[in-house]
Amino acid sequence: MVLLTGSNKIKTAVFISGKGSNLKSLIKFSKKNNSPISIDLIICDNLNAKGLNFGNTFKIKKKVFNFKNKAKAENKILFELKSKNINLICLAGFMKILSKNFIKKFKGKILNIHPSLLPKYKGLNTHQRVLENNEKYSGCTVHYVSYKLDSGEIILQKKVKIKRKETPKSLAKKILVQEHKLYPKAILKVFRL
Ligand code: GAR
């Protein structure tokens, strides 16, 4: 097994907008010996995001940016990423769409998790649309971020079965449990570990 410790780990920023349960699972994963990443920065677009508390709990620097002026926010974020030598970005429930200019600067180094079996159900209100279409399965996907929304190369997916009385809420909960396992696995796959 490859052991990556302290400064050998790939400096990673996690972008969040809300609860941050994926952030928490990534932080826990980053502390394991077999993890290739360390989480050095949390980026957020929402001052009230609950997930920001994980920055305090785990002593990770967090920064909130106002996306009303997206270009300005992105430039500030790029500066922050550069000054912290960040080499990987994990989007984890980050609900803003990054510009082509931003993505270009980190091409091939931005990952995202989406709560559906992409390429099906890109975008918002995934679970509701899945149930309206009487799908038998849904799931989650970790993929590279490309210029087109939820369309980059797929790294890993996990399928879940939809029960008869499933609601968007119960489905979201069930998929989230799988997301917490899938994101670390996808990172290991990216680094061929
Ligand atoms: C997760 O289900 C994630 O897949 C989804 O938001 C949730 C965030 O939960 N992301 C998207 O819908 C992105 N389009 P978390 O804040 O508890 O990690």
Side-chain angles (χ1 to χ4, degrees):
M1 188 197 295
V2 186
L3 286 182
L4 291 154
T5 51
S7 58
N8 290 333
K9 293 200 177 192
I10 291 140
K11 287 182 181 286
T12 303
V14 180
F15 286 32
I16 63 165
S17 296
K19 242 178 357 166
S21 69
N22 276 291
L23 165 66
K24 186 181 175 197
S25 101
L26 287 175
I27 295 172
K28 289 200 159 166
F29 165 66
S30 74
K31 294 184 183 300
K32 292 187 174 166
N33 280 341
N34 71 332
S35 164
I37 64 162
S38 64
I39 294 173
D40 298 277
L41 187 60
I42 298 164
I43 298 285
C44 184
D45 64 312
N46 169 16
L47 255 180
N48 301 315
K50 280 204 181 130
L52 285 168
N53 292 327
F54 293 121
N56 304 335
T57 313
F58 294 98
K59 302 200 167 28
I60 298 169
K61 190 176 174 189
K62 52 191 169 45
K63 285 244 158 183
V64 181
F65 295 91
N66 185 341
F67 267 70
K68 268 196 179 146
N69 184 335
K70 184 152 122 177
K72 207 167 156 187
E74 287 188 342
N75 280 334
K76 285 188 190 167
I77 293 173
L78 283 168
F79 176 82
E80 205 61 45
L81 297 173
K82 207 166 177 198
S83 68
K84 283 205 143 275
N85 292 318
I86 298 295
N87 227 342
L88 179 73
I89 294 173
C90 291
L91 306 183
F94 184 64
M95 303 314 273
K96 290 283 185 293
I97 297 172
L98 294 166
S99 72
K100 193 172 171 181
N101 175 55
F102 185 98
I103 294 168
K104 202 154 90 187
K105 299 235 162 73
F106 264 82
K107 201 140 186 262
K109 294 178 179 180
I110 311 177
L111 312 181
N112 181 41
I113 189 152
H114 184 76
S116 79
L117 293 173
L118 291 173
K120 290 177 109 176
Y121 304 101
K122 298 172 184 173
L124 298 175
N125 302 320
T126 315
H127 308 303
Q128 194 178 326
R129 288 185 287 132
V130 164
L131 295 178
E132 278 166 9
N133 284 344
N134 293 316
E135 296 280 6
K136 291 199 164 48
Y137 294 93
S138 187
C140 45
T141 304
V142 178
H143 64 95
Y144 287 102
V145 170
S146 66
Y147 299 144
K148 265 180 87 184
L149 182 71
D150 298 333
S151 299
E153 185 192 331
I154 289 170
I155 301 161
L156 273 185
Q157 290 187 309
K158 176 73 185 179
K159 208 163 155 181
V160 304
K161 200 168 180 348
I162 294 172
K163 287 204 180 125
R164 256 195 313 123
K165 288 194 173 160
E166 207 81 71
T167 64
K169 206 171 161 190
S170 69
L171 184 57
K173 201 170 157 191
K174 190 152 83 178
I175 290 177
L176 203 54
V177 173
Q178 297 306 323
E179 290 184 39
H180 298 159
K181 297 179 195 164
L182 192 72
Y183 219 155
K185 270 191 195 167
I187 290 170
L188 289 172
K189 189 175 174 196
V190 162
F191 294 100
R192 295 188 174 80
L193 291 171

